[in-house]
Amino acid sequence: MSWAIKLKAGAVDIYCLSGTGNTLLVARAMRDAFVQKGILAHVHPMERTDPCSINPKNALGLAFPVAILTTYPLVWGFIRSLPEVKGTEAFMVDTLGGLSMGIMAPMKRILESKGYAPIGAREIAMPVNFWNYEQEKKCVTIERGLERAREYTVDLIAGGTKWRSFPVLSDMAHLAFSNRFLWWLARQWPKMRVSLERCARCGLCVKLCPAGNIVMKDYPERQGGCQVCLRCYAYCPREAVLFMESFKRYRAVSAEDFLIA
Ligand SMILES: Cc1cc2nc3c(=O)[nH]c(=O)nc-3n(C[C@H](O)[C@H](O)[C@H](O)COP(=O)(O)O)c2cc1C
């Protein structure tokens, strides 16, 4: 790969949604790799960004986890609300345990319809965020993922990437897995609950929820917009958020990383 810079934009904004930290680590590794090559780059929390406020002069990066073979409704909402532009370069990176289907083609189409120039899409394997891992295996998978993220960044800068997609398969999977009914079902079973014995009413879950879906009443209460990102489940300091017995609490970064990001 040649080192000549083919990226047209002089700066990059990466909008990142991450439930339990894998994607945030990847987005930060990419930011650092851009900066190392002399390109100004920032990571912004997608959940706290008004999509209309993006700077169309900067390349647009989208970073998010795969969920139920597609990604979270919040991510689709962000992308659908992006403003129209004239040729702003756009790239995506997702993190996943192993398989995605319904993302690449529909996302590329939405961006193109708004005038973006899709320049790259890559999927990066990271630990599945509800399984139990030996610490060593988790670290090796993360390190490998971050290395791939850095390589991807270098490829993006050098113009060596493409946004590949397989429209028929990807569109069908998008229809099947991004529909409201499926996500409504995903929120019903198994429903997350709060253990009143364990909950100290510290409010961390309210602050951390990327969808603003938890309201503090006598105890934290969930509203109807849960993304099933597992952040509240993973980060509750007293493990008071209950979900599936077999799901482990996985954290790739600290809670503060989400609050300051
Ligand atoms: C509700 C849910 C659904 C998931 N679905 C998939 C999936 O369909 N395919 C896959 O490869 N990984 C899946 N995963 C695993 C995550 O994509 C993966 O662990 C990701 O790196 C998590 O990123 P985050 O830590 O930034 O949230 C799922 C995780 C959750 C919580």
Side-chain angles (χ1 to χ4, degrees):
M1 192 72 58
S2 133
W3 286 103
I5 293 183
K6 298 238 174 87
L7 193 76
K8 291 189 200 116
V12 176
D13 287 316
I14 304 174
Y15 296 93
C16 172
L17 180 76
S18 174
T20 56
N22 283 344
T23 315
L24 185 57
L25 286 179
V26 162
R28 285 183 177 171
M30 292 186 70
R31 174 199 61 196
D32 295 347
F34 276 118
V35 171
Q36 217 178 21
K37 296 275 174 248
I39 295 171
L40 197 64
H42 291 103
V43 176
H44 309 274
M46 195 182 278
E47 66 266 31
R48 280 185 265 135
T49 305
D50 173 1
C52 293
S53 69
I54 68 150
N55 182 347
K57 291 196 183 116
N58 296 349
L60 170 80
L62 299 161
F64 49 85
V66 170
I68 320 186
L69 299 180
T70 171
T71 186
Y72 295 114
L74 204 148
V75 176
W76 289 110
F78 182 88
I79 291 164
R80 288 203 178 94
S81 305
L82 283 167
E84 300 207 347
V85 293
K86 287 198 175 106
T88 299
E89 294 157 301
F91 63 88
M92 61 146 272
V93 59
D94 67 39
T95 69
L96 74 175
L99 184 67
S100 88
M101 284 167 95
I103 297 175
M104 302 269 197
M107 200 170 280
K108 187 180 185 194
R109 195 168 317 113
I110 297 171
L111 290 170
E112 280 174 339
S113 73
K114 289 173 178 280
Y116 294 85
I119 57 169
R122 200 157 289 181
E123 309 206 283
I124 295 190
M126 292 289 270
V128 174
N129 57 351
F130 49 80
W131 282 352
N132 208 3
Y133 285 92
E134 288 162 29
Q135 189 60 17
E136 198 182 327
K137 195 171 172 217
K138 177 179 159 186
C139 291
V140 169
T141 309
I142 290 178
E143 215 23 74
R144 206 178 295 142
L146 298 187
E147 195 45 46
R148 286 206 61 211
R150 290 187 273 268
E151 286 164 10
Y152 177 39
T153 310
V154 172
D155 290 350
L156 278 167
I157 296 170
T161 54
K162 284 204 168 76
W163 188 311
R164 289 202 180 86
S165 64
F166 302 93
V168 177
L169 188 66
S170 192
D171 286 334
M172 278 168 54
H174 182 64
L175 271 178
F177 299 111
S178 288
N179 73 69
R180 279 165 197 251
F181 178 64
L182 188 98
W183 280 87
W184 176 82
L185 266 185
R187 288 172 186 127
Q188 307 310 307
W189 186 87
K191 212 172 194 118
M192 286 202 209
R193 306 177 314 282
V194 173
S195 157
L196 304 191
E197 290 81 49
R198 290 190 202 168
C199 178
R201 304 187 72 253
C202 69
L204 185 63
C205 56
V206 177
K207 284 192 212 146
L208 284 179
C209 175
N213 188 54
I214 307 177
V215 176
M216 184 61 82
K217 296 195 177 162
D218 286 343
Y219 286 92
E221 279 184 21
R222 261 167 203 77
Q223 314 296 301
C226 177
Q227 307 284 303
V228 206
C229 73
L230 303 188
R231 201 187 282 177
C232 58
Y233 178 68
Y235 285 90
C236 172
R238 296 173 68 126
E239 301 195 351
V241 179
L242 307 176
F243 194 43
M244 286 228 313
E245 283 285 306
S246 55
F247 275 26
K248 300 298 169 206
R249 290 180 166 82
Y250 174 92
R251 293 188 279 258
V253 298
S254 71
E256 288 71 33
D257 283 288
F258 293 113
L259 300 174
I260 55 155

